[in-house]
Amino acid sequence: MTQDELKALVGQAALKYVQAGTVVGVGTGSTVNCFIDALASMKDQIVGAVSSSVKSTERLQALGIPVLDANAVTQIPVYIDGADEIDHQGCMIKGGGAALTREKIVADLAQTFVCIADESKLVDTLGAFALPVEVIPMAAAQVARRFERAYGGQAAVRTGVVTDNGNLILDVRGLKIAEPLAMEIEVNQWPGVVTVGLFARHRAGVCLLGTSAGVRTLQF
Ligand code: 5RP
């Protein structure tokens, strides 16, 4: 099966986690686009979606799925999103699509994070994928220096990208992230960091992994 077919498979499989009569949290990316397309078949059964990006909002609305403001909900049962890497504890690197801040906000509203990904995303140790970090523009150089000093990582501003929140993305290469939670807590404290793309506090509870043998369900 191609990677696109695996994404379509898990996008469809995620529908079974969507509860009728509730609001669903919706992530961002090519795998989530497959989920959004599948969700259209349930649009009359759900109250609506809370979206993690302008791109996902536009896709949801084009399919007639109501999009609610995150401030209008107190809790949602599930958040469905992709990942750039996921480890065997459900910790993830996210932000390849630059939507990490809103993704973490919606994940924080959710009781369960359901990760949908093709099998190439499952890793033993996070860090082969460059870690995205959303930063206030004036802090970019200082945050990059801190990564070098603290973790030996090389950070570069992602060219041509401004986030939905008007900030920059640093991509940090050369990391082997043995303790994702500790790194997430530390980096979040650096001045000018809006969000680090480590999802350890908001790790996945379930991962639907697309494999050539079908959907593998990982529970964490
Ligand atoms: C966007 C993300 C995405 O979930 C991540 O980049 C995976 O995307 P894709 O499904 O296209 O591989 O974190 O900010």
Side-chain angles (χ1 to χ4, degrees):
M1 259 192 266
T2 66
Q3 208 174 20
D4 284 348
E5 286 168 338
L6 296 178
K7 288 177 183 186
L9 193 68
V10 292
Q12 184 72 35
L15 285 186
K16 82 165 188 225
Y17 290 85
V18 177
Q19 298 170 21
T22 70
V23 176
V24 60
V26 175
T28 297
S30 55
T31 316
V32 164
N33 283 345
C34 296
F35 167 66
I36 293 173
D37 295 349
L39 187 63
S41 67
M42 283 186 71
K43 71 178 171 196
D44 297 329
Q45 295 168 53
I46 58 172
V47 175
V50 175
S51 166
S52 62
S53 64
V54 171
K55 276 189 183 152
S56 288
T57 296
E58 287 171 351
R59 197 174 186 100
L60 287 158
Q61 288 176 334
L63 290 167
I65 300 167
V67 177
L68 284 73
D69 188 318
N71 288 299
V73 300
T74 49
Q75 200 183 59
I76 54 180
V78 284
Y79 175 57
I80 293 170
D81 198 359
D84 298 302
E85 286 184 344
I86 181 163
D87 71 14
H88 296 274
Q89 285 73 45
C91 297
M92 295 166 284
I93 284 183
K94 291 185 44 54
L100 62 164
T101 296
R102 295 188 187 197
E103 289 172 345
K104 211 174 266 194
I105 292 168
V106 187
D108 192 53
L109 286 167
Q111 285 173 301
T112 304
F113 189 133
V114 176
C115 177
I116 50 176
D118 66 83
E119 60 191 340
S120 70
K121 307 290 184 68
L122 184 65
V123 298
D124 290 332
T125 307
L126 300 176
F129 189 93
L131 176 67
V133 185
E134 181 165 350
V135 293
I136 303 280
M138 75 174 283
Q142 173 68 348
V143 172
R145 282 189 291 269
R146 277 186 174 275
F147 263 105
E148 180 77 52
R149 281 202 299 264
Y151 299 108
Q154 296 84 49
V157 173
R158 196 180 296 178
T159 46
V161 172
V162 175
T163 70
D164 286 350
N165 314 305
N167 297 313
L168 297 177
I169 297 288
L170 283 176
D171 289 307
V172 189
R173 294 183 168 73
L175 300 172
K176 274 205 179 114
I177 307 173
E179 295 185 55
L181 182 59
M183 186 186 281
E184 182 181 11
I185 291 169
E186 167 68 17
V187 174
N188 269 334
Q189 296 183 52
W190 296 351
V193 169
V194 178
T195 305
V196 57
L198 278 170
F199 283 59
R201 285 194 61 213
H202 297 87
R203 70 186 62 187
V206 177
C207 178
L208 303 178
L209 204 64
T211 78
S212 44
V215 178
R216 199 176 139 202
T217 302
L218 311 177
Q219 305 267 4
F220 305 103

